[in-house]
Amino acid sequence: MKYLIFLTLIINSLFAESYSSTKTDVAPVNNQLYINECASCHFAYQPGLLPANAWTKIMKNLDKHFGTDASLAPEDFQTLSKYLEDNSAEKNMQYKRSNRIVSSIPAGQIPDSISTTPYMIKKHSELRKNMITQPEVKGLFNCVACHTTADKGIYGERDIKIPNYGRWED
């Protein structure tokens, strides 16, 4: 009997290791212009990771976009601004992460980035600083360094693999 229990535990752990979440936490990016313009320099963050006022703030400062001039042609600026606003977190409250991000931001506060939202800070608070600042990660802004399914809008804990540390174990 104890061998059967042991064998069951081994089989379950093998399946758990290969298990990947399939429930989308935030609406995936579906705009080719956004992918072409923004993902040419960094991960194409899903618009549902920030409220519209934060995207507006970011778009108004593209000439100083995190140390880079990311200015756009006027028509591309208008198209992307509309895409970000139409798909922002408060417009996608049916998604778990969008809902929690919006709920975490105090009234009147406009975050400068996704990684500065209270929700994201809290979600990453258990990580040691050296896990986040290591060269393979660089910072909380680099979602895809650890979230293996971030491009699909899936940020579940089962899909986290921290470079040089391995799979996240809560």
Side-chain angles (χ1 to χ4, degrees):
M1 180 66 173
K2 64 181 168 182
Y3 292 111
L4 182 60
I5 293 170
F6 180 70
L7 183 60
T8 303
L9 289 173
I10 289 174
I11 291 170
N12 284 341
S13 71
L14 290 173
F15 282 114
E17 191 66 31
S18 66
Y19 175 82
S20 177
S21 300
T22 57
K23 185 162 172 53
T24 305
D25 297 312
V26 63
V29 172
N30 63 2
N31 181 290
Q32 195 57 50
L33 178 61
Y34 181 74
I35 292 167
N36 293 346
E37 289 295 336
C38 303
S40 66
C41 295
H42 57 71
F43 171 63
Y45 301 105
Q46 291 89 2
L49 293 173
L50 279 175
N53 61 3
W55 286 119
T56 299
K57 183 177 180 180
I58 289 169
M59 293 298 286
K60 285 183 178 178
N61 292 299
L62 286 179
D63 61 327
K64 299 179 285 288
H65 187 64
F66 301 99
T68 301
D69 185 348
S71 298
L72 297 165
E75 61 276 4
D76 291 345
F77 178 87
Q78 291 302 322
T79 300
L80 293 178
S81 293
K82 181 172 177 12
Y83 171 69
L84 292 167
E85 182 177 329
D86 289 350
N87 295 279
S88 60
E90 69 273 25
K91 306 261 175 83
N92 282 288
M93 297 291 276
Q94 73 273 23
Y95 291 96
K96 178 172 79 170
R97 302 277 179 225
S98 295
N99 189 329
R100 291 181 180 170
I101 287 166
V102 169
S103 299
S104 77
I105 301 170
Q109 182 180 336
I110 303 173
D112 293 323
S113 66
I114 296 161
S115 60
T116 62
T117 62
Y119 174 75
M120 290 298 177
I121 292 168
K122 181 179 178 186
K123 284 301 285 183
H124 294 88
S125 65
E126 293 180 35
L127 296 173
R128 294 188 313 274
K129 185 177 179 177
N130 64 327
M131 296 170 101
I132 299 167
T133 59
Q134 64 172 307
E136 293 83 357
V137 178
K138 298 180 183 139
L140 288 182
F141 61 87
N142 191 9
C143 306
V144 294
C146 303
H147 294 274
T148 62
T149 53
D151 61 323
K152 296 176 183 133
I154 301 170
Y155 291 88
E157 289 183 3
R158 292 180 185 231
D159 299 305
I160 298 172
K161 187 174 179 191
I162 302 170
N164 301 310
Y165 292 91
R167 201 163 112 37
W168 177 250
E169 300 292 337
D170 195 17

